Amino acid sequence: MDFSADSSYLQVSTGSYKRQVYEVPSGKQLVDQAVIDRITWATWTSVLGDEVIGIWSRHAEKADVNCACVSHSGINLVTGDDFGMVKLFDFPCPEKFVRTSFCMVTTRSTVDIRILSCFSRRRMMEIFSSLNL
């Protein structure tokens, strides 16, 4: 779930792999793609949307990429997937099948990326600090 920079909108990703945007505080769903495209997001944690098409490999299934987080600077995106991979992308990445940089999973204080844990078959990553690269 992410709020727009002005807190007027909220975006969510559903269990049926759809990105939905709502007006705040009315809760009215926004369906006009031209309006959605003009929204500046304060955060980005969705694996869905035109801004992150490039995170999906040619052979990825919908459930393969589990989580995403854009850096506070808004220029990098890190994802976690079912295979235990943590991948670094430029943000936005609207081109299909872009090349990735693989990040080392670490909690060392000298690295700005801190991955708290990888657990279960789904390998969900808890990313609790920003990328300031």
Side-chain angles (χ1 to χ4, degrees):
M1 178 170 67
D2 301 293
F3 281 94
S4 62
D6 64 3
S7 299
S8 297
Y9 302 98
L10 169 74
Q11 77 171 349
V12 295
S13 300
T14 70
S16 58
Y17 301 99
K18 294 183 181 168
R19 175 184 176 203
Q20 296 179 338
V21 177
Y22 296 92
E23 293 178 353
V24 173
S26 71
K28 180 182 173 193
Q29 186 173 357
L30 189 62
V31 293
D32 185 347
Q33 191 61 46
V35 173
I36 293 171
D37 290 343
R38 289 192 302 269
I39 297 171
T40 300
W41 297 99
T43 60
W44 189 284
T45 57
S46 179
V47 296
L48 305 174
D50 292 339
E51 296 86 344
V52 293
I53 288 174
I55 69 173
W56 299 93
S57 68
R58 290 185 193 281
H59 306 291
E61 295 180 12
K62 287 182 180 178
D64 285 350
V65 181
N66 306 124
C67 59
C69 186
V70 170
S71 64
H72 289 301
S73 63
I75 61 172
N76 300 106
L77 171 75
V78 66
T79 64
D81 66 27
D82 274 354
F83 311 104
M85 300 303 296
V86 178
K87 298 178 183 178
L88 179 66
F89 298 87
D90 290 334
F91 184 80
C93 54
E95 302 296 322
K96 288 185 176 182
F97 318 126
V98 298
R99 296 185 89 167
T100 65
S101 299
F102 293 95
C103 298
M104 200 167 200
V105 178
T106 182
T107 57
R108 293 183 61 182
S109 61
T110 57
V111 179
D112 289 328
I113 304 164
R114 296 175 191 90
I115 307 301
L116 180 60
S117 63
C118 301
F119 56 94
S120 82
R121 187 178 183 325
R122 304 291 298 174
R123 303 210 200 297
M124 293 297 288
M125 308 302 169
E126 292 182 18
I127 302 167
F128 63 92
S129 71
S130 67
L131 294 170
N132 292 313
L133 305 174

Coordinates of all heavy atoms in Angstrom, one line a residue, residues 36-84:
I36 N -4.0 8.6 -13.2 CA -3.1 7.8 -12.4 C -1.7 8.0 -12.9 O -0.8 8.0 -12.0 CB -3.5 6.3 -12.6 CG1 -4.9 6.0 -11.9 CG2 -2.5 5.3 -12.0 CD1 -5.5 4.7 -12.2
D37 N -1.5 8.1 -14.2 CA -0.1 8.3 -14.7 C 0.5 9.6 -14.2 O 1.8 9.7 -14.1 CB -0.1 8.3 -16.2 CG -0.4 6.9 -16.8 OD1 -0.2 5.9 -16.1 OD2 -0.7 6.9 -18.0
R38 N -0.3 10.6 -13.8 CA 0.3 11.9 -13.4 C 0.5 12.0 -11.8 O 1.1 12.9 -11.3 CB -0.7 13.0 -13.8 CG -0.7 13.3 -15.3 CD -1.4 14.6 -15.6 NE -2.8 14.6 -15.1 CZ -3.8 14.2 -15.9 NH1 -3.6 13.8 -17.1 NH2 -5.0 14.3 -15.4
I39 N 0.2 10.9 -11.1 CA 0.3 10.9 -9.7 C 1.8 10.7 -9.3 O 2.4 9.8 -9.9 CB -0.5 9.8 -9.0 CG1 -2.0 10.1 -9.3 CG2 -0.3 9.7 -7.5 CD1 -2.9 9.0 -8.8
T40 N 2.3 11.5 -8.4 CA 3.6 11.3 -7.8 C 3.5 10.5 -6.5 O 2.7 11.0 -5.6 CB 4.3 12.6 -7.6 OG1 4.4 13.3 -8.8 CG2 5.7 12.4 -7.0
W41 N 4.1 9.4 -6.4 CA 4.0 8.5 -5.2 C 5.0 8.8 -4.2 O 6.2 8.9 -4.6 CB 4.0 7.0 -5.6 CG 2.8 6.7 -6.5 CD1 2.8 6.6 -7.9 CD2 1.5 6.5 -6.1 NE1 1.5 6.4 -8.3 CE2 0.7 6.3 -7.3 CE3 0.8 6.5 -4.9 CZ2 -0.7 6.1 -7.2 CZ3 -0.5 6.3 -4.8 CH2 -1.3 6.1 -6.0
A42 N 4.6 8.9 -3.0 CA 5.6 9.1 -1.9 C 6.4 7.9 -1.6 O 7.6 7.9 -1.3 CB 4.9 9.5 -0.6
T43 N 5.8 6.7 -1.8 CA 6.5 5.4 -1.7 C 6.1 4.5 -2.8 O 5.1 4.8 -3.5 CB 6.1 4.7 -0.3 OG1 4.7 4.5 -0.3 CG2 6.6 5.5 0.8
W44 N 6.8 3.5 -3.1 CA 6.4 2.5 -4.1 C 6.8 1.1 -3.5 O 8.0 0.8 -3.4 CB 7.1 2.7 -5.4 CG 6.5 1.8 -6.5 CD1 6.7 0.5 -6.6 CD2 5.5 2.2 -7.4 NE1 6.0 0.0 -7.7 CE2 5.2 1.0 -8.2 CE3 4.9 3.4 -7.7 CZ2 4.3 1.1 -9.2 CZ3 4.0 3.4 -8.8 CH2 3.7 2.3 -9.5
T45 N 5.8 0.3 -3.2 CA 6.1 -1.1 -2.8 C 5.3 -2.1 -3.6 O 5.3 -3.3 -3.3 CB 5.6 -1.3 -1.3 OG1 4.3 -0.9 -1.2 CG2 6.5 -0.4 -0.4
S46 N 4.8 -1.7 -4.7 CA 4.0 -2.6 -5.6 C 4.9 -3.3 -6.6 O 5.8 -2.7 -7.1 CB 2.9 -1.8 -6.3 OG 2.2 -2.6 -7.2
V47 N 4.5 -4.5 -6.9 CA 5.2 -5.2 -8.0 C 4.4 -5.1 -9.3 O 4.7 -5.7 -10.3 CB 5.4 -6.7 -7.6 CG1 6.4 -6.8 -6.5 CG2 4.1 -7.4 -7.4
L48 N 3.4 -4.3 -9.3 CA 2.5 -4.1 -10.4 C 2.5 -2.7 -10.9 O 2.7 -1.7 -10.1 CB 1.0 -4.5 -10.0 CG 0.9 -5.9 -9.5 CD1 -0.6 -6.1 -9.0 CD2 1.2 -6.9 -10.5
G49 N 2.3 -2.5 -12.2 CA 2.2 -1.1 -12.7 C 3.2 -0.9 -13.9 O 4.2 -1.6 -14.0
D50 N 2.9 0.1 -14.7 CA 3.8 0.4 -15.8 C 5.2 0.7 -15.4 O 6.1 0.5 -16.1 CB 3.2 1.5 -16.7 CG 1.9 1.1 -17.4 OD1 1.7 -0.1 -17.6 OD2 1.1 2.0 -17.8
E51 N 5.3 1.3 -14.2 CA 6.6 1.8 -13.7 C 7.5 0.6 -13.4 O 8.7 0.8 -13.2 CB 6.4 2.6 -12.4 CG 5.6 3.9 -12.7 CD 4.1 3.8 -12.6 OE1 3.6 2.6 -12.7 OE2 3.4 4.8 -12.5
V52 N 7.0 -0.6 -13.2 CA 7.8 -1.7 -12.8 C 7.7 -2.9 -13.7 O 8.0 -4.1 -13.3 CB 7.5 -2.1 -11.3 CG1 8.0 -1.0 -10.4 CG2 6.1 -2.5 -11.1
I53 N 7.3 -2.7 -15.0 CA 7.2 -3.8 -15.9 C 8.6 -4.6 -16.1 O 8.6 -5.8 -16.2 CB 6.7 -3.3 -17.3 CG1 5.2 -2.9 -17.2 CG2 6.9 -4.4 -18.4 CD1 4.7 -2.3 -18.4
G54 N 9.7 -3.8 -16.0 CA 11.0 -4.4 -16.2 C 11.4 -5.4 -15.1 O 12.4 -6.1 -15.3
I55 N 10.8 -5.5 -14.0 CA 11.2 -6.4 -12.9 C 10.9 -7.8 -13.3 O 11.4 -8.7 -12.6 CB 10.7 -6.0 -11.6 CG1 9.1 -6.3 -11.5 CG2 11.0 -4.6 -11.2 CD1 8.6 -6.1 -10.1
W56 N 10.0 -8.1 -14.2 CA 9.6 -9.4 -14.6 C 10.4 -10.0 -15.7 O 10.6 -9.5 -16.7 CB 8.1 -9.4 -15.0 CG 7.2 -8.8 -13.9 CD1 6.8 -7.5 -13.8 CD2 6.7 -9.6 -12.9 NE1 6.1 -7.4 -12.6 CE2 6.0 -8.7 -12.1 CE3 6.7 -10.9 -12.5 CZ2 5.3 -9.1 -10.9 CZ3 6.1 -11.3 -11.4 CH2 5.3 -10.4 -10.6
S57 N 11.0 -11.2 -15.4 CA 11.8 -11.9 -16.4 C 10.9 -12.5 -17.4 O 9.7 -12.6 -17.2 CB 12.7 -12.9 -15.7 OG 12.0 -14.0 -15.2
R58 N 11.5 -13.0 -18.5 CA 10.7 -13.6 -19.5 C 9.9 -14.8 -19.0 O 8.8 -15.0 -19.5 CB 11.6 -14.1 -20.7 CG 12.2 -13.0 -21.4 CD 13.0 -13.6 -22.6 NE 13.9 -12.6 -23.2 CZ 13.5 -11.6 -24.0 NH1 12.2 -11.6 -24.4 NH2 14.3 -10.7 -24.5
H59 N 10.4 -15.5 -18.1 CA 9.7 -16.8 -17.7 C 9.1 -16.7 -16.3 O 8.7 -17.7 -15.7 CB 10.7 -17.9 -17.7 CG 11.4 -18.1 -19.0 ND1 10.8 -18.5 -20.1 CD2 12.7 -17.8 -19.4 CE1 11.6 -18.5 -21.2 NE2 12.8 -18.0 -20.7
A60 N 9.0 -15.4 -15.8 CA 8.4 -15.3 -14.5 C 6.9 -15.5 -14.5 O 6.2 -15.1 -15.4 CB 8.7 -13.9 -13.9
E61 N 6.4 -16.1 -13.4 CA 5.0 -16.2 -13.2 C 4.6 -15.1 -12.2 O 5.4 -14.5 -11.6 CB 4.7 -17.6 -12.6 CG 5.0 -18.7 -13.5 CD 4.7 -20.1 -12.9 OE1 4.1 -20.1 -11.9 OE2 5.2 -21.1 -13.5
K62 N 3.3 -14.8 -12.2 CA 2.8 -13.7 -11.4 C 3.3 -13.7 -9.9 O 3.5 -12.7 -9.3 CB 1.2 -13.7 -11.4 CG 0.7 -13.2 -12.7 CD -0.8 -13.2 -12.6 CE -1.4 -12.7 -13.9 NZ -2.9 -12.7 -13.9
A63 N 3.3 -14.9 -9.3 CA 3.7 -15.0 -7.9 C 5.2 -15.0 -7.7 O 5.6 -15.0 -6.5 CB 3.0 -16.2 -7.3
D64 N 6.0 -15.0 -8.7 CA 7.5 -15.1 -8.5 C 8.1 -13.9 -7.8 O 9.0 -14.1 -7.0 CB 8.2 -15.4 -9.8 CG 8.0 -16.8 -10.3 OD1 7.5 -17.6 -9.6 OD2 8.3 -17.0 -11.5
V65 N 7.7 -12.7 -8.2 CA 8.2 -11.5 -7.5 C 7.3 -11.1 -6.4 O 6.1 -10.8 -6.6 CB 8.4 -10.3 -8.5 CG1 9.0 -9.1 -7.8 CG2 9.3 -10.7 -9.7
N66 N 7.8 -11.2 -5.2 CA 7.0 -11.0 -4.0 C 6.9 -9.6 -3.4 O 5.9 -9.2 -2.8 CB 7.5 -11.9 -2.9 CG 7.6 -13.4 -3.3 OD1 8.6 -14.0 -3.2 ND2 6.5 -13.9 -3.9
C67 N 8.0 -8.9 -3.5 CA 8.0 -7.6 -2.9 C 8.9 -6.6 -3.6 O 9.8 -7.0 -4.4 CB 8.5 -7.7 -1.4 SG 10.1 -8.4 -1.2
A68 N 8.7 -5.3 -3.4 CA 9.5 -4.3 -4.1 C 9.5 -3.1 -3.2 O 8.6 -2.9 -2.4 CB 8.8 -3.9 -5.4
C69 N 10.6 -2.3 -3.3 CA 10.6 -1.1 -2.5 C 11.5 -0.1 -3.2 O 12.6 -0.4 -3.6 CB 11.2 -1.4 -1.1 SG 11.2 0.1 0.0
V70 N 11.0 1.1 -3.4 CA 11.8 2.2 -4.1 C 12.6 3.0 -3.0 O 12.0 3.2 -1.9 CB 10.9 3.1 -4.9 CG1 11.6 4.4 -5.4 CG2 10.3 2.4 -6.1
S71 N 13.8 3.3 -3.3 CA 14.6 4.1 -2.4 C 14.0 5.5 -2.1 O 13.2 6.0 -2.9 CB 16.0 4.3 -3.0 OG 15.9 5.1 -4.2
H72 N 14.4 6.1 -1.0 CA 13.9 7.4 -0.7 C 14.2 8.4 -1.8 O 13.5 9.4 -2.0 CB 14.4 7.9 0.7 CG 13.9 7.1 1.8 ND1 12.5 7.1 2.1 CD2 14.4 6.4 2.8 CE1 12.3 6.4 3.1 NE2 13.4 5.9 3.6
S73 N 15.4 8.2 -2.4 CA 15.7 9.1 -3.5 C 14.9 8.9 -4.8 O 14.9 9.8 -5.6 CB 17.2 8.9 -3.9 OG 17.4 7.6 -4.4
G74 N 14.2 7.8 -4.8 CA 13.3 7.5 -6.0 C 14.0 7.1 -7.2 O 13.4 7.1 -8.3
I75 N 15.3 6.7 -7.1 CA 16.0 6.3 -8.4 C 16.3 4.8 -8.4 O 16.7 4.4 -9.5 CB 17.2 7.2 -8.6 CG1 18.2 7.0 -7.4 CG2 16.9 8.6 -8.8 CD1 19.6 7.6 -7.6
N76 N 16.1 4.1 -7.3 CA 16.4 2.7 -7.3 C 15.3 1.9 -6.8 O 14.5 2.4 -6.0 CB 17.6 2.4 -6.4 CG 18.9 3.1 -6.9 OD1 19.3 4.1 -6.3 ND2 19.5 2.7 -8.0
L77 N 15.2 0.7 -7.3 CA 14.1 -0.2 -6.8 C 14.7 -1.6 -6.5 O 15.6 -2.1 -7.3 CB 13.1 -0.4 -8.0 CG 12.0 -1.5 -7.8 CD1 11.0 -1.0 -6.8 CD2 11.4 -1.9 -9.1
V78 N 14.4 -2.1 -5.4 CA 14.9 -3.4 -5.0 C 13.7 -4.4 -4.9 O 12.6 -4.0 -4.5 CB 15.7 -3.4 -3.7 CG1 14.8 -3.0 -2.5 CG2 16.5 -4.7 -3.4
T79 N 13.9 -5.6 -5.4 CA 12.8 -6.6 -5.4 C 13.3 -7.9 -4.7 O 14.5 -8.2 -4.7 CB 12.3 -7.0 -6.8 OG1 13.4 -7.6 -7.5 CG2 11.8 -5.7 -7.5
G80 N 12.4 -8.7 -4.2 CA 12.7 -10.0 -3.6 C 11.8 -11.0 -4.3 O 10.6 -10.7 -4.6
D81 N 12.3 -12.2 -4.6 CA 11.5 -13.1 -5.3 C 11.5 -14.5 -4.7 O 12.2 -14.8 -3.6 CB 11.9 -13.2 -6.8 CG 13.4 -13.7 -7.0 OD1 13.9 -14.5 -6.1 OD2 14.0 -13.4 -8.0
D82 N 10.8 -15.4 -5.2 CA 10.7 -16.8 -4.7 C 12.0 -17.6 -4.7 O 12.1 -18.6 -4.1 CB 9.7 -17.6 -5.6 CG 8.2 -17.4 -5.2 OD1 8.0 -16.8 -4.2 OD2 7.3 -17.9 -5.9
F83 N 13.0 -17.1 -5.5 CA 14.2 -17.8 -5.6 C 15.3 -17.3 -4.7 O 16.4 -17.7 -4.8 CB 14.6 -17.8 -7.1 CG 13.5 -18.1 -8.0 CD1 12.9 -17.2 -8.8 CD2 13.1 -19.4 -8.1 CE1 11.8 -17.5 -9.6 CE2 12.0 -19.8 -9.0 CZ 11.4 -18.8 -9.7
G84 N 14.9 -16.4 -3.8 CA 15.8 -15.9 -2.8 C 16.7 -14.8 -3.4 O 17.7 -14.4 -2.7

